[in-house]
């Protein structure tokens, strides 16, 4: 005998209540009292991860509107904190301290954890749209002359966060209009290209320099960018590829495959156009003769 939907909902209510409570702590919506705030928050995040991995009831309620609302609330709170902390970096009158970097890295770590939940609730578009919206402000701060030789850990973490947006768009998890996809590439492709070269050179020159883009991250970014470029309109592809060829650092990301395919598609399109024009001209000529 089938179970009525109302009974199913009642059965899942306790699981949802527990999950929502854990999620609120994990997102710092219910902020525990100091000095155990961060510790309890990490513990709550681990509990949420465990419930999603091991509890079938949790998988049944993650698309519930209340659960989505709590996650969106936490995402909004965390992103607001990130923007505030990022902007404050340029307001410091003295040399930026390690404590400031650690603080913003903790916030980015929370945002990174949220990004593991968003796809499960079909909300990854929220993050991608937000990241595109604030990319200009992020780069304005992080590329400021004041930070030229500072905050390498933050710079790498920002690239890792950008990779999440690139992968979501490049592999079709998030569908966006072409202008937004182009904006994401125009913002971050030059910066990633520059930072990869700079980090590599510092790793060679300074044996104790520990900040780098690891191989897996580099491959993921390169693959996502190639996929994004190939999915753009032809004129937008031409813009990105021309900028890539003019840059000094052409080795990374390697867009050779995208360039070759763009050339092939362009030649094929021109050939089809010529054949179409010739066909129309031939038809007109035949029509004129028969007339």
């Amino acid at each position: 005998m089938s179970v009525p939907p109302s009974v199913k909902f009642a059965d899942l209510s306790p699981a949802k209540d527990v999950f929502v409570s854990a999620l609120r702590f994990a997102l710092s919506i219910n902020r525990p009292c100091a000095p155990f705030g961060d510790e309890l928050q990490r513990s709550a995040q681990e509990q949420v991860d465990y419930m999603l991995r091991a509890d079938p009831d949790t998988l049944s309620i993650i698309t519930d509107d209340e659960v989505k609302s709590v996650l969106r609330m936490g995402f909004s709170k965390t992103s607001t904190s990130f923007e505030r902390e990022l902007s404050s970096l340029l307001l410091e009158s003295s040399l930026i301290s390690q404590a400031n970097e650690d603080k913003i890295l903790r916030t980015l770590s929370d945002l990174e954890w949220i990004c593991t939940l968003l796809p499960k609730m079909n909300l990854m578009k929220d993050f991608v749209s937000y990241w595109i919206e604030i990319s200009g402000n992020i780069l304005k701060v992080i590329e400021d002359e004041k930070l030229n030789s500072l905050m390498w850990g933050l710079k790498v973490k920002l690239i890792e966060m950008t990779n999440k947006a690139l992968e979501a768009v490049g592999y079709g998890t998030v569908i966006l209009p072409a202008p937004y996809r182009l904006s994401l590439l125009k913002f971050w492709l030059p910066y990633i290209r520059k930072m990869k070269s700079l980090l590599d050179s510092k790793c060679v020159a300074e044996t104790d320099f520990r900040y780098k883009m690891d191989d897996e991250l580099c491959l993921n970014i390169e693959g996502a960018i190639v996929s994004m470029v190939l999915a753009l309109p032809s004129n937008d592809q031409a813009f990105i590829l021309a900028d890539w060829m003019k840059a000094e650092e052409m080795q990374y990301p390697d867009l050779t495959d995208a360039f070759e395919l763009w050339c092939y598609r362009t030649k094929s399109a021109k050939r089809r156009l010529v054949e179409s024009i010739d066909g129309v001209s031939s038809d007109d000529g035949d029509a004129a003769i028969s007339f």
Side-chain angles (χ1 to χ4, degrees), residues 89-118:
L89 294 180
L90 299 184
L91 300 178
E92 299 289 339
S93 56
S94 58
L95 187 66
I96 296 171
S97 68
Q98 184 65 44
N100 289 334
E101 184 176 11
D102 290 343
K103 183 179 180 181
I104 194 170
L105 282 173
R106 283 195 298 272
T107 303
L108 273 176
S109 179
D110 290 340
L111 195 58
E112 185 176 31
W113 180 77
I114 291 171
C115 284
T116 66
L117 302 184
L118 291 172

Side-chain angles (χ1 to χ4, degrees), residues 244-263:
W244 167 67
M245 287 186 287
K246 287 186 293 185
E248 293 181 5
E249 304 91 356
M250 287 185 64
Q251 292 85 359
Y252 185 84
D254 185 358
L255 302 185
T256 303
D257 289 346
F259 175 68
E260 291 177 351
L261 189 52
W262 176 82
C263 290

Side-chain angles (χ1 to χ4, degrees), residues 140-158:
K140 180 180 178 181
V141 172
I142 206 66
E143 293 194 287
D144 188 273
E145 184 178 334
K146 186 176 182 180
L147 302 183
N148 272 350
S149 58
L150 299 170
M151 296 205 165
W152 299 107
L154 175 58
K155 292 170 182 176
V156 173
K157 177 58 70 175
L158 289 171

Side-chain angles (χ1 to χ4, degrees), residues 5-248:
S6 59
V7 175
K8 289 184 179 180
F9 179 79
D11 289 343
L12 292 177
S13 291
K16 188 180 81 169
D17 291 343
V18 171
F19 183 73
V20 167
S21 296
L23 189 58
R24 292 179 70 89
F25 274 109
L27 296 169
S28 296
I29 297 173
N30 292 351
R31 169 63 72 178
C33 296
F36 304 110
D38 289 342
E39 182 179 339
L40 288 178
Q41 183 188 4
R42 298 293 175 246
S43 178
Q45 289 178 357
E46 291 174 3
Q47 181 62 30
V48 168
D49 290 338
Y50 174 78
M51 293 174 72
L52 287 170
R53 184 174 63 252
D55 187 351
D57 287 345
T58 302
L59 296 177
S60 301
I61 54 93
I62 58 174
T63 56
D64 181 271
D65 287 343
E66 182 183 355
V67 177
K68 285 185 174 183
S69 177
V70 171
L71 184 59
R72 277 184 159 139
M73 189 186 309
F75 173 66
S76 176
K77 181 178 183 295
T78 305
S79 57
T80 299
S81 297
F82 165 64
E83 291 179 60
R84 182 176 62 250
E85 293 163 7
L86 184 72
S87 298
S88 70
L89 294 180
L90 299 184
L91 300 178
E92 299 289 339
S93 56
S94 58
L95 187 66
I96 296 171
S97 68
Q98 184 65 44
N100 289 334
E101 184 176 11
D102 290 343
K103 183 179 180 181
I104 194 170
L105 282 173
R106 283 195 298 272
T107 303
L108 273 176
S109 179
D110 290 340
L111 195 58
E112 185 176 31
W113 180 77
I114 291 171
C115 284
T116 66
L117 302 184
L118 291 172
K120 294 179 172 64
M121 303 183 194
N122 297 318
L123 297 177
M124 193 60 179
K125 188 174 182 179
D126 288 23
F127 169 73
V128 175
S129 299
Y130 164 75
W131 202 250
I132 294 173
E133 181 182 343
I134 68 165
S135 287
N137 290 336
I138 293 174
L139 292 169
K140 180 180 178 181
V141 172
I142 206 66
E143 293 194 287
D144 188 273
E145 184 178 334
K146 186 176 182 180
L147 302 183
N148 272 350
S149 58
L150 299 170
M151 296 205 165
W152 299 107
L154 175 58
K155 292 170 182 176
V156 173
K157 177 58 70 175
L158 289 171
I159 292 175
E160 292 174 354
M161 295 300 298
T162 301
N163 175 53
K164 294 185 179 299
L166 292 170
E167 284 190 320
V169 176
Y171 299 124
T173 304
V174 172
I175 306 300
L176 292 175
Y180 292 91
R181 289 180 274 130
L182 180 62
S183 292
L184 184 60
L185 287 172
K186 288 171 69 174
F187 276 127
W188 287 103
L189 179 53
Y191 181 75
I192 290 172
R193 183 171 57 215
K194 179 182 71 175
M195 285 303 301
K196 174 67 165 61
S197 175
L198 181 57
L199 292 170
D200 286 350
S201 64
K202 288 187 72 67
C203 284
V204 172
E206 305 172 25
T207 55
D208 60 341
F209 188 79
R210 57 189 179 90
Y211 303 103
K212 62 178 295 186
M213 294 169 57
D214 63 45
D215 293 341
E216 182 178 0
L217 175 63
C218 290
L219 287 173
N220 289 343
I221 289 175
E222 187 171 81
I225 287 177
V226 169
S227 295
M228 286 180 65
V229 171
L230 291 175
L232 288 171
S234 182
N235 288 343
D236 291 339
Q237 289 185 45
F239 174 86
I240 294 295
L241 293 170
D243 181 68
W244 167 67
M245 287 186 287
K246 287 186 293 185
E248 293 181 5

